[in-house]
Amino acid sequence: MDYALRAAAELAAAGGPRTLDQLAAAQEIPAKYLESILGEMRRGGILRSQRGPDGGYRLGRPAEDISIADIIRVLDGELANVRGSRPENLEYTGAAVPLQQVWIALRASERSILEQVTLANIASANMPQAVADLIASPAAWL
């Protein structure tokens, strides 16, 4: 996931097409891993690609319209699954029943941040206030 987000951020900052080798070098990502990731992102509509001398990868839509959550969903599916299942579909018994609420709250919290942060935010290093508030506490960094 990290490689995908780094490559997407690089494309957002570049403003134009970049080749696989350019992206790999800029983010120090092994090209052999990046190629399949970029292919998945292209199939998911996050990226477009073009062959030829002016070719390469570019964002499939404006950076401000692509959230981190969009990229995660393309590569990994729904956010905050528990053992591959949606938390509301799991059954808990006994004292563990409240865990379902914890997983649902975690997913809602995660979504809140991931839906707000776009590639444009990352490329400009201008995070939404919700992110700034969360990382302001030294405990966030531990």
Side-chain angles (χ1 to χ4, degrees), residues 5 16-17 30 39 57 96 110 128:
L5 295 172
Y57 293 91
E110 182 179 78

Side-chain angles (χ1 to χ4, degrees), residues 35-132:
E35 186 171 21
S36 65
I37 293 167
L38 295 175
E40 285 184 57
M41 290 172 47
R42 186 181 47 77
R43 286 186 292 280
I46 300 294
L47 303 180
R48 293 182 320 174
S49 63
Q50 181 179 334
R51 295 180 185 202
D54 295 329
Y57 293 91
R58 66 182 76 225
L59 296 178
R61 52 188 196 265
E64 59 271 8
D65 294 342
I66 302 173
S67 71
I68 301 305
D70 293 334
I71 296 170
I72 292 171
R73 284 190 195 100
V74 163
L75 297 172
D76 286 345
E78 285 299 316
L79 303 175
N81 286 329
V82 180
R83 298 184 319 268
S85 299
R86 296 174 61 93
E88 64 271 18
N89 294 338
L90 296 175
E91 292 188 33
Y92 290 93
T93 59
V97 169
L99 277 176
Q100 185 179 47
Q101 295 171 356
V102 171
W103 289 120
I104 290 171
L106 175 65
R107 180 181 62 191
S109 175
E110 182 179 78
R111 273 187 186 159
S112 172
I113 294 299
L114 296 176
E115 294 286 358
Q116 288 181 54
V117 179
T118 67
L119 291 178
N121 294 127
I122 293 171
S124 67
N126 184 19
M127 290 294 123
Q129 188 60 46
V131 173

